[in-house]
Coordinates of all heavy atoms in Angstrom, one line a residue:
S1 N 27.8 105.3 -37.1 CA 29.2 105.7 -36.7 C 29.8 104.6 -35.9 O 29.2 103.6 -35.6 CB 29.1 107.0 -36.0 OG 28.8 106.8 -34.6
K2 N 31.0 104.9 -35.5 CA 31.7 103.9 -34.6 C 30.9 103.6 -33.3 O 31.1 102.6 -32.7 CB 33.1 104.4 -34.3 CG 34.1 103.4 -33.8 CD 35.5 104.0 -33.7 CE 36.3 103.4 -32.6 NZ 37.5 104.1 -32.3
F3 N 30.1 104.6 -32.9 CA 29.5 104.6 -31.6 C 28.0 104.5 -31.6 O 27.4 104.0 -30.6 CB 29.9 105.8 -30.7 CG 31.3 105.8 -30.4 CD1 32.2 106.6 -31.2 CD2 31.9 105.1 -29.3 CE1 33.6 106.6 -30.9 CE2 33.2 105.1 -29.1 CZ 34.1 105.9 -29.9
Q4 N 27.3 105.0 -32.7 CA 25.9 105.1 -32.6 C 25.3 105.3 -34.0 O 26.0 105.6 -34.9 CB 25.5 106.3 -31.7 CG 26.1 107.6 -32.0 CD 26.3 108.5 -30.8 OE1 25.6 108.3 -29.8 NE2 27.2 109.5 -30.9
D5 N 23.9 105.1 -34.0 CA 23.2 105.4 -35.2 C 22.9 106.8 -35.4 O 22.4 107.5 -34.4 CB 21.9 104.6 -35.2 CG 21.0 104.8 -36.4 OD1 21.1 104.1 -37.4 OD2 20.2 105.7 -36.3
V6 N 23.3 107.4 -36.5 CA 23.2 108.9 -36.7 C 22.2 109.2 -37.8 O 22.3 108.6 -39.0 CB 24.5 109.5 -37.1 CG1 24.4 111.0 -37.3 CG2 25.6 109.2 -36.0
L7 N 21.2 110.0 -37.5 CA 20.1 110.3 -38.5 C 19.9 111.9 -38.5 O 19.9 112.4 -37.4 CB 18.8 109.6 -38.1 CG 17.5 110.2 -38.7 CD1 17.5 109.9 -40.2 CD2 16.3 109.6 -38.1
V8 N 19.9 112.4 -39.6 CA 19.5 113.9 -39.8 C 18.3 113.9 -40.7 O 18.4 113.4 -41.8 CB 20.6 114.8 -40.2 CG1 20.1 116.3 -40.2 CG2 21.9 114.6 -39.3
F9 N 17.3 114.6 -40.4 CA 16.2 114.8 -41.4 C 15.7 116.2 -41.2 O 15.8 117.0 -40.2 CB 15.0 113.8 -41.1 CG 14.3 113.9 -39.9 CD1 13.2 114.7 -39.8 CD2 14.6 113.2 -38.7 CE1 12.4 114.9 -38.6 CE2 13.9 113.3 -37.6 CZ 12.7 114.1 -37.5
E10 N 15.1 116.7 -42.4 CA 14.4 118.0 -42.4 C 13.0 117.7 -42.1 O 12.3 116.9 -42.7 CB 14.6 118.6 -43.8 CG 13.8 119.9 -44.0 CD 13.7 120.3 -45.4 OE1 14.8 120.3 -46.1 OE2 12.6 120.4 -45.9
S11 N 12.5 118.4 -41.0 CA 11.1 118.2 -40.6 C 10.2 119.3 -41.2 O 10.7 120.3 -41.7 CB 11.0 118.3 -39.0 OG 11.3 119.6 -38.6
K12 N 9.0 119.1 -41.0 CA 8.0 120.0 -41.6 C 7.9 121.3 -40.7 O 7.8 122.4 -41.3 CB 6.6 119.3 -41.6 CG 5.5 120.1 -42.4 CD 4.4 119.2 -42.8 CE 3.5 120.0 -43.8 NZ 2.3 119.2 -44.2
T13 N 7.9 121.2 -39.4 CA 7.8 122.3 -38.6 C 8.9 122.6 -37.5 O 8.8 123.6 -36.9 CB 6.4 122.2 -37.8 OG1 6.4 120.9 -37.1 CG2 5.2 122.2 -38.7
Y14 N 9.9 121.7 -37.5 CA 10.9 121.9 -36.5 C 12.3 122.1 -37.0 O 13.3 122.0 -36.4 CB 11.0 120.8 -35.4 CG 9.9 120.9 -34.4 CD1 8.6 120.5 -34.5 CD2 10.2 121.6 -33.2 CE1 7.6 120.6 -33.5 CE2 9.2 121.8 -32.2 CZ 8.0 121.3 -32.4 OH 7.0 121.5 -31.4
G15 N 12.4 122.4 -38.4 CA 13.7 122.6 -39.0 C 14.4 121.3 -39.1 O 13.8 120.2 -39.1
N16 N 15.7 121.3 -39.2 CA 16.5 120.1 -39.2 C 16.6 119.4 -37.9 O 16.7 120.2 -36.9 CB 17.9 120.4 -39.8 CG 18.0 120.7 -41.3 OD1 16.9 120.5 -42.0 ND2 19.1 121.0 -41.8
V17 N 16.6 118.1 -37.9 CA 16.6 117.4 -36.6 C 17.7 116.3 -36.6 O 17.9 115.6 -37.5 CB 15.2 116.6 -36.5 CG1 15.2 115.8 -35.2 CG2 14.1 117.6 -36.5
L18 N 18.5 116.3 -35.5 CA 19.6 115.4 -35.3 C 19.1 114.3 -34.3 O 18.6 114.6 -33.2 CB 20.8 116.0 -34.8 CG 22.0 115.1 -34.3 CD1 22.6 114.3 -35.4 CD2 23.0 116.0 -33.6
V19 N 19.3 113.0 -34.7 CA 18.8 111.9 -34.0 C 20.0 110.9 -33.8 O 20.6 110.6 -34.7 CB 17.6 111.2 -34.6 CG1 17.1 110.0 -33.8 CG2 16.5 112.2 -34.9
L20 N 20.2 110.5 -32.5 CA 21.2 109.4 -32.2 C 20.6 108.3 -31.6 O 19.9 108.4 -30.6 CB 22.3 110.1 -31.3 CG 23.1 111.3 -31.8 CD1 24.1 111.8 -30.8 CD2 23.8 111.0 -33.1
D21 N 20.8 107.1 -32.1 CA 20.3 105.8 -31.6 C 18.7 106.0 -31.4 O 18.2 105.6 -30.4 CB 20.9 105.5 -30.3 CG 22.3 104.8 -30.5 OD1 22.6 104.4 -31.7 OD2 23.1 104.7 -29.6
G22 N 18.1 106.6 -32.3 CA 16.6 106.7 -32.3 C 16.1 107.8 -31.4 O 14.8 107.9 -31.2
V23 N 17.0 108.6 -30.7 CA 16.6 109.6 -29.7 C 16.9 111.0 -30.3 O 18.0 111.3 -30.7 CB 17.3 109.4 -28.4 CG1 16.9 110.5 -27.4 CG2 16.9 108.0 -27.8
I24 N 15.9 111.9 -30.3 CA 16.1 113.3 -30.7 C 17.1 114.0 -29.8 O 17.0 114.0 -28.6 CB 14.8 114.0 -30.6 CG1 13.7 113.5 -31.6 CG2 15.0 115.5 -30.9 CD1 12.3 113.9 -31.3
Q25 N 18.1 114.6 -30.5 CA 19.2 115.3 -29.8 C 18.9 116.8 -29.8 O 19.0 117.5 -28.9 CB 20.6 115.0 -30.4 CG 20.9 113.6 -30.3 CD 21.0 113.0 -28.9 OE1 21.7 113.5 -28.0 NE2 20.2 111.9 -28.7
V26 N 18.6 117.3 -31.1 CA 18.3 118.7 -31.3 C 17.4 118.9 -32.4 O 17.5 118.1 -33.4 CB 19.6 119.6 -31.5 CG1 20.5 119.7 -30.3 CG2 20.4 119.2 -32.7
T27 N 16.6 119.9 -32.3 CA 15.8 120.4 -33.5 C 16.2 121.9 -33.6 O 16.3 122.6 -32.6 CB 14.3 120.2 -33.5 OG1 13.7 121.3 -32.8 CG2 13.9 118.9 -32.8
E28 N 16.2 122.4 -34.9 CA 16.6 123.8 -35.0 C 15.6 124.8 -34.4 O 15.9 125.9 -34.0 CB 16.7 124.1 -36.5 CG 18.0 123.5 -37.2 CD 18.1 123.9 -38.6 OE1 17.2 123.7 -39.4 OE2 19.2 124.4 -39.0
R29 N 14.3 124.3 -34.3 CA 13.3 125.2 -33.7 C 13.4 125.5 -32.3 O 13.2 126.6 -31.8 CB 11.9 124.6 -34.1 CG 10.8 125.5 -33.5 CD 9.4 124.9 -34.0 NE 8.3 125.5 -33.2 CZ 7.1 125.0 -33.3 NH1 6.8 124.1 -34.2 NH2 6.1 125.6 -32.6
D30 N 13.7 124.5 -31.5 CA 13.7 124.6 -30.0 C 15.0 124.4 -29.3 O 15.1 124.5 -28.0 CB 12.6 123.7 -29.4 CG 12.8 122.2 -29.6 OD1 14.0 121.8 -30.1 OD2 12.0 121.4 -29.2
E31 N 16.1 124.2 -30.0 CA 17.4 123.8 -29.3 C 17.9 124.9 -28.4 O 18.5 124.7 -27.4 CB 18.5 123.5 -30.4 CG 18.7 124.5 -31.5 CD 19.7 125.6 -31.1 OE1 20.4 125.5 -30.1 OE2 19.9 126.5 -31.9
F32 N 17.5 126.2 -28.7 CA 18.0 127.3 -27.9 C 17.6 127.2 -26.4 O 18.4 127.6 -25.5 CB 17.5 128.7 -28.5 CG 16.1 128.9 -28.2 CD1 15.6 129.5 -27.1 CD2 15.2 128.5 -29.2 CE1 14.2 129.7 -26.9 CE2 13.8 128.7 -29.0 CZ 13.3 129.3 -27.9
S33 N 16.4 126.6 -26.2 CA 15.9 126.5 -24.9 C 16.9 125.7 -23.9 O 17.1 126.0 -22.8 CB 14.6 125.9 -24.9 OG 14.1 125.7 -23.5
Y34 N 17.4 124.6 -24.6 CA 18.3 123.7 -23.9 C 19.7 124.3 -23.8 O 20.3 124.4 -22.7 CB 18.4 122.4 -24.6 CG 19.4 121.4 -24.1 CD1 19.2 120.6 -22.9 CD2 20.7 121.3 -24.7 CE1 20.1 119.7 -22.5 CE2 21.6 120.4 -24.2 CZ 21.4 119.6 -23.1 OH 22.3 118.7 -22.6
Q35 N 20.3 124.8 -24.9 CA 21.7 125.3 -24.9 C 21.8 126.5 -24.0 O 22.8 126.6 -23.2 CB 22.1 125.8 -26.3 CG 21.6 125.0 -27.5 CD 22.1 123.6 -27.6 OE1 23.1 123.3 -26.9 NE2 21.4 122.7 -28.3
E36 N 20.9 127.4 -24.0 CA 20.9 128.5 -23.1 C 20.9 128.2 -21.6 O 21.7 128.7 -20.8 CB 19.8 129.6 -23.4 CG 20.0 130.2 -24.8 CD 18.8 131.1 -25.2 OE1 17.9 131.4 -24.3 OE2 18.8 131.6 -26.3
M37 N 20.0 127.2 -21.3 CA 19.9 126.8 -19.9 C 21.0 126.1 -19.3 O 21.4 126.1 -18.1 CB 18.5 126.2 -19.6 CG 17.4 127.2 -19.4 SD 17.6 128.2 -17.9 CE 17.4 127.0 -16.6
I38 N 21.6 125.2 -20.2 CA 22.7 124.4 -19.7 C 24.0 125.2 -19.5 O 24.9 124.9 -18.8 CB 23.0 123.1 -20.5 CG1 23.7 122.1 -19.8 CG2 23.6 123.4 -21.8 CD1 23.9 120.7 -20.4
T39 N 24.0 126.3 -20.2 CA 25.2 127.2 -20.3 C 25.1 128.4 -19.3 O 26.0 128.6 -18.5 CB 25.4 127.7 -21.7 OG1 25.5 126.6 -22.6 CG2 26.8 128.5 -21.8
H40 N 24.2 129.3 -19.5 CA 24.2 130.6 -18.8 C 24.0 130.6 -17.3 O 24.7 131.3 -16.6 CB 23.2 131.5 -19.5 CG 23.5 131.7 -20.9 ND1 24.8 132.2 -21.4 CD2 22.8 131.6 -22.1 CE1 24.8 132.2 -22.7 NE2 23.6 131.9 -23.2
P41 N 23.1 129.8 -16.7 CA 23.1 129.7 -15.2 C 24.5 129.4 -14.6 O 24.9 130.0 -13.6 CB 22.1 128.7 -14.9 CG 21.2 128.7 -16.1 CD 22.1 128.9 -17.3
A42 N 25.2 128.5 -15.3 CA 26.6 128.2 -14.8 C 27.6 129.3 -15.0 O 28.3 129.7 -14.1 CB 27.0 126.9 -15.5

């Protein structure tokens, strides 16, 4: 993209995985743990 390298792959055990500049951003299996905690305490 204009800003970063974007990769999406389907993994064997973590569902679809979004990677930016070689760094995992989310996987379908465990993303809820992050989304819920960054949102609900606030």
Side-chain angles (χ1 to χ4, degrees):
S1 80
K2 195 173 150 193
F3 295 96
Q4 52 208 344
D5 177 89
V6 181
L7 163 68
V8 184
F9 66 90
E10 177 196 302
S11 69
K12 193 162 185 179
T13 54
Y14 278 88
N16 288 353
V17 180
L18 169 67
V19 178
L20 299 178
D21 284 343
V23 176
I24 296 165
Q25 304 298 307
V26 293
T27 84
E28 288 183 306
R29 177 176 168 185
D30 65 4
E31 53 87 7
F32 71 91
S33 179
Y34 174 84
Q35 321 298 340
E36 291 176 7
M37 274 299 288
I38 200 171
T39 306
H40 298 307

